[in-house]
Amino acid sequence: MLLAIDVGNSTTEFGVFEAGKILFRWRIVTQNRTGDELCLIVAGHCGSHGVTLSGDCDCVICSVVPPLTQGFADMAATLFRKAPLIVDSSLDTGLRILYRDHLSVGSDRLATAAGAVERFGRPVIVVDMGTATTFDVVSESGDYVGGAIAPGVGTAAEELFRRAARLPRVELRRPQSVIGQSTEESLQAGIVFGAAAVVDGILARIFEELGARPPVVATGGYSSLIAPQCKYITHVDDALVLEGLRVIFERHRASGKDKRRRK
């Protein structure tokens, strides 16, 4: 079995794989926790699905919150008696990174790109709709070309609510019309359709620069809300980062470079 963990700014997602297939996944709020606390969370959730994790299991982690990474590494070392594989741009992900500073590419972006290539082939564009909305482009030859980063849907909405004292917080859902007939409907229209317009606008510019229109896959916590409002999204896969982590782990293990030691 393989436990894949994506430590994001807002939430952390876990996925358990067996024989290359995901069995189940879950999310928790990202916050500072000890390895022992995480052991209880992971063991308890897996136990509720009838799965007992043991030393035969492996763990792969990508994290955009470096101060919290050690807690997850400690958890894996305790449960599995070996260190996890922590993904970064120094690993062989199957993608040639064309960023000027390849070390600055987020491990979550590399994982989603690797997952997209595995699921949808190449070329491919990934739009990850989380705390930030990121766009990642993989060429036909397997190059990670680069992308764009925009404020996330929830992030932008929270900043609007914070700065405008008279605007209430509203549920983020698709309104019936872009012309709202109440403050709530107007906010929903502006936030949801505005986010979709940003996605379509950036994708249109990417297509223009590429001179092609590759498949576009949306992922992330807001993908189910925003992707249906977009013209250029062709696929939605909200488990893409976990799939990418699995692909990277298996590639690393097959390369014979896996020298993590059991305790």
Side-chain angles (χ1 to χ4, degrees):
M1 284 188 178
L2 174 68
L3 175 65
I5 307 174
D6 170 33
V7 185
N9 288 295
S10 301
T11 63
T12 296
E13 186 172 20
F14 301 80
V16 175
F17 290 85
E18 185 173 35
K21 303 294 183 183
I22 193 162
L23 299 180
F24 54 90
R25 57 193 176 97
W26 74 96
R27 290 179 182 268
I28 62 174
V29 174
T30 297
Q31 63 185 55
N32 193 13
R33 294 182 173 91
T34 66
D36 289 341
E37 289 175 309
L38 290 166
C39 282
L40 293 173
I41 290 171
V42 171
H45 201 94
C46 289
S48 70
H49 286 80
V51 172
T52 300
L53 300 177
S54 69
D56 293 330
C57 298
D58 286 289
C59 182
V60 58
I61 300 170
C62 72
S63 173
V64 297
V65 193
L68 304 188
T69 306
Q70 188 59 49
F72 291 92
D74 291 343
M75 175 273 296
T78 298
L79 287 179
F80 310 134
R81 303 191 298 279
K82 55 181 175 290
L85 177 67
I86 298 177
V87 173
D88 60 33
S89 58
S90 68
L91 292 179
D92 178 9
T93 62
L95 304 170
R96 188 166 69 107
I97 301 172
L98 299 188
Y99 243 43
R100 292 190 185 93
D101 178 8
H102 74 276
L103 295 176
S104 69
V105 183
S107 57
D108 58 333
R109 297 179 72 182
L110 294 175
T112 54
V117 170
E118 176 74 7
R119 292 290 308 279
F120 304 103
R122 60 193 193 197
V124 69
I125 299 172
V126 180
V127 184
D128 190 348
M129 302 177 185
T131 303
T133 298
T134 59
F135 300 75
D136 298 296
V137 181
V138 179
S139 71
E140 187 171 3
S141 59
D143 294 334
Y144 177 87
V145 179
I149 304 173
V153 181
T155 303
E158 281 300 315
E159 185 63 12
L160 175 62
F161 300 147
R162 187 180 71 83
R163 288 180 174 270
R166 297 189 61 186
L167 293 180
R169 281 177 168 76
V170 299
E171 179 187 358
L172 295 186
R173 61 182 177 84
R174 186 190 189 281
Q176 293 298 313
S177 171
V178 72
I179 304 173
Q181 295 185 314
S182 68
T183 300
E184 179 182 12
E185 291 175 356
S186 297
L187 283 166
Q188 289 168 338
I191 293 168
V192 174
F193 295 133
V198 167
V199 170
D200 282 337
I202 292 177
L203 286 173
R205 289 173 180 267
I206 290 174
F207 295 157
E208 184 177 358
E209 287 193 15
L210 292 177
R213 187 177 291 190
V216 180
V217 54
T219 191
Y222 291 100
S223 58
S224 60
L225 173 64
I226 303 302
Q229 324 311 324
C230 299
K231 294 187 295 184
Y232 301 129
I233 301 291
T234 54
H235 308 280
V236 177
D237 186 340
D238 60 0
L240 200 60
V241 66
L242 298 177
E243 178 69 14
L245 288 173
R246 179 193 66 79
V247 169
I248 292 170
F249 177 83
E250 292 183 354
R251 186 179 186 90
H252 182 74
R253 183 169 58 184
S255 71
K257 296 178 181 179
D258 193 355
K259 298 179 180 179
R260 296 166 299 136
R261 293 184 179 180
R262 297 178 183 271
K263 288 189 172 182

